[in-house]
């Protein structure tokens, strides 16, 4: 209790805390809408709001470089990739009734139980801990770059090899699937209705165009 | 700032992603929920790094370095995941993970068990879909 009395109290939040709380509420709400909405494209767009809110939280925690990397990579490329995937799998534009599977109740129970346990443990553990945000910036580009290229060079290079492997793997996966589909196309046309197969060939042409880019 | 704020927000975001992974049926929505969970971990890493870099005299800034690594691995994961989802959608015509049950052992069709070849299983599934 003496430690708790030493730090600033809960009942006198600073401006940074209020801003963090408000942005956190927006982020959490956007995340909830992302996992519950029935419109697939809207889910991807709410994911942008959640990730952008997290970037603002990083800025409030004085981790500037991470914040801009978050904006560039998550909002710039991951969400765009997800939107590409939604379009290429022909996701319905309007409401899709089967966005959620049948075990929603069990999933909700598991998630609420995990949330209660985690929040309880975390609040109990870090009740008397404060981050000192004054003074020098903890995550400026200079600090992050120095630590990354002094202490973390080998993991950094290994990670670049992993990214290259992932790139090659993605190309190989889509190549083999395309050859497979080309070999299978007459059978597919025999099997399915004609509208469906012309639809498929149009999509395959689109895939080829994207793959050659 | 109180450390409980980012920690609680991170826990709540993680559980939101957990609910999405368990409850969603479209594979791309599951991938989006996985992204939410990874972001919750990133927020935890950054918050604890900022806290520890003030209390410790010498720091490696491991939290921020690991956050950058997590972001890069998440980008690789979403690329590979979407390639797999697109390949499955091209072969099956669906991205619905509830319908991809080739590995499940069902008692009614007994020829699924010994048929461990992937292409054979795929052909069997195709015949089952068209029948």
């Amino acid at each position: 209790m003496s430690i708790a009395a030493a730090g600033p109290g809960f009942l006198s939040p600073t401006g940074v805390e209020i801003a963090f709380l408000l942005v956190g509420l927006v982020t959490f709400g956007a995340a909830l809408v992302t996992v519950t909405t029935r419109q697939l494209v809207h889910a991807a767009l709410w994911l942008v709001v959640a990730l952008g809110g997290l970037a603002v939280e990083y800025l409030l925690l004085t981790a500037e470089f991470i914040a801009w990397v978050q904006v560039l990579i998550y909002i710039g490329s991951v969400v765009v990739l997800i939107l590409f995937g939604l379009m290429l799998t022909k996701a319905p534009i309007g409401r899709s009734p089967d966005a959620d599977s049948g075990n929603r109740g069990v999933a909700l129970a598991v998630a609420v139980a995990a949330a209660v346990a985690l929040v309880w443990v975390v609040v109990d553990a870090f009740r008397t801990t404060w981050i000192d945000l004054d003074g020098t910036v903890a995550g400026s580009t200079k600090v992050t770059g120095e630590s990354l290229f002094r202490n973390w060079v080998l993991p950094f290079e290994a990670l670049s090899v992993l990214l290259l492997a992932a790139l090659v793997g993605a190309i190989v996966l889509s190549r083999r699937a395309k050859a497979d589909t080309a070999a299978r196309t007459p059978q597919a046309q025999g099997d399915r209705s004609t509208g469906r197969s012309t639809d498929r060939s149009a999509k395959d042409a689109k895939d080829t165009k994207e793959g050659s880019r | 700032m109180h450390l409980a704020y980012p920690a609680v927000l991170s826990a709540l975001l993680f559980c939101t992603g957990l609910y999405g992974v368990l409850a969603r049926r479209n594979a791309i929505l599951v991938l989006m929920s996985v992204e939410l969970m990874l972001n919750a971990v990133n927020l935890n890493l950054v918050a604890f790094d900022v806290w520890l870099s003030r209390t410790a005299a010498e720091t490696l800034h491991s939290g921020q370095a690991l956050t950058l690594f997590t972001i890069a691995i998440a980008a690789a994961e979403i690329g590979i995941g979407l390639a797999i989802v697109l390949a499955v959608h091209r072969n099956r015509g669906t991205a619905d993970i509830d319908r991809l049950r080739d590995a499940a052992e069902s008692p009614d069709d007994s020829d699924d068990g010994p048929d461990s070849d992937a292409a054979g299983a795929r052909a069997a599934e195709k015949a089952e879909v068209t029948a």
Side-chain angles (χ1 to χ4, degrees), chain A residues 10 16-17 20-21 24 28 31-32 34-37 40 43-44 47 51 54 57-58 61 63 65-66 69-70 73-74 81-82 85-86 88-90 98-104 107-108 110-111 114-115 118 122-123 126-127 129-134 136 138-139 143-144 147-148 151-152 155-156 159 163 166 169-170 173-174 177-178 180-181 184 191-192 196 200 203-204 207, chain B residues 1-9 11-26 28-29 31-33 35-36 38-43 46-51 53-55 59-80 82-87 89-96 98-99 122-123 126 129-130:
Chain A
F10 268 119
V16 179
E17 281 178 337
F20 193 95
L21 201 64
F28 181 52
L32 277 183
T34 301
V35 297
T36 51
T37 181
L40 304 185
L47 186 66
L51 298 178
L54 270 172
E57 306 280 42
Y58 293 153
L61 284 170
F65 184 68
I66 304 284
V69 166
Q70 167 95 2
I73 294 191
Y74 269 109
L81 266 180
I82 284 175
L86 281 177
L88 288 178
T89 54
K90 285 182 291 187
D98 56 348
D100 289 332
S101 73
N103 48 13
R104 272 183 73 181
L108 191 64
V110 169
L118 276 177
V122 154
V123 167
F126 301 111
R127 203 179 31 194
T129 313
W130 279 268
I131 307 175
D132 182 19
L133 289 178
D134 301 329
T136 60
V143 173
T144 310
S147 76
L148 199 61
N151 307 313
W152 297 92
F156 186 79
L159 195 73
L163 268 181
L173 271 176
S174 33
K178 201 187 307 165
D180 209 13
T181 316
R184 193 188 289 264
D191 282 350
R192 293 164 191 275
R196 175 93 189 181
R200 279 169 68 95
K203 188 177 67 62
D204 285 344
D207 289 350
Chain B
M1 190 195 304
H2 206 280
L3 186 58
Y5 287 114
V8 167
L9 177 64
L12 289 178
L13 277 181
F14 186 86
C15 293
T16 311
L18 183 67
Y19 168 77
V21 167
L22 291 178
R24 287 301 205 177
R25 186 177 269 174
N26 192 315
I28 297 181
L29 290 177
L31 281 176
M32 286 163 57
S33 306
E35 293 301 316
L36 273 180
L38 284 170
N39 268 288
V41 176
N42 283 348
L43 181 61
V46 169
F48 278 86
D49 179 70
V50 173
W51 171 47
S53 69
R54 293 307 162 84
T55 52
T59 175
L60 290 179
H61 278 294
S62 49
Q64 299 194 33
L66 288 176
T67 305
L68 287 175
F69 295 164
T70 313
I71 289 176
I73 289 176
E77 171 252 333
I78 202 82
I80 294 284
L82 280 177
I84 292 175
V85 169
L86 286 183
H89 180 264
R90 217 172 279 150
N91 282 328
R92 304 287 176 80
T94 179
D96 189 346
D98 278 0
R99 282 194 226 154
R122 207 177 296 154
K126 198 122 199 149
V129 163
T130 55

Side-chain angles (χ1 to χ4, degrees), chain A residues 20-129:
Chain A
F20 193 95
L21 201 64
L22 292 179
V23 178
L25 281 179
V26 170
T27 306
F28 181 52
L32 277 183
V33 176
T34 301
V35 297
T36 51
T37 181
R38 292 187 181 281
Q39 311 199 20
L40 304 185
V41 182
H42 285 196
L45 296 179
W46 279 107
L47 186 66
V48 173
V49 177
L51 298 178
L54 270 172
V56 177
E57 306 280 42
Y58 293 153
L59 277 182
L60 288 176
L61 284 170
T62 70
E64 301 169 3
F65 184 68
I66 304 284
W68 299 123
V69 166
Q70 167 95 2
V71 169
L72 280 177
I73 294 191
Y74 269 109
I75 302 177
S77 73
V78 167
V79 175
V80 172
L81 266 180
I82 284 175
L83 283 173
F84 257 113
L86 281 177
M87 290 174 197
L88 288 178
T89 54
K90 285 182 291 187
I93 295 296
R95 292 174 174 275
S96 60
D98 56 348
D100 289 332
S101 73
N103 48 13
R104 272 183 73 181
V106 183
L108 191 64
V110 169
V112 167
V116 168
L118 276 177
V119 168
W120 180 36
V121 168
V122 154
V123 167
D124 197 32
F126 301 111
R127 203 179 31 194
T128 58
T129 313

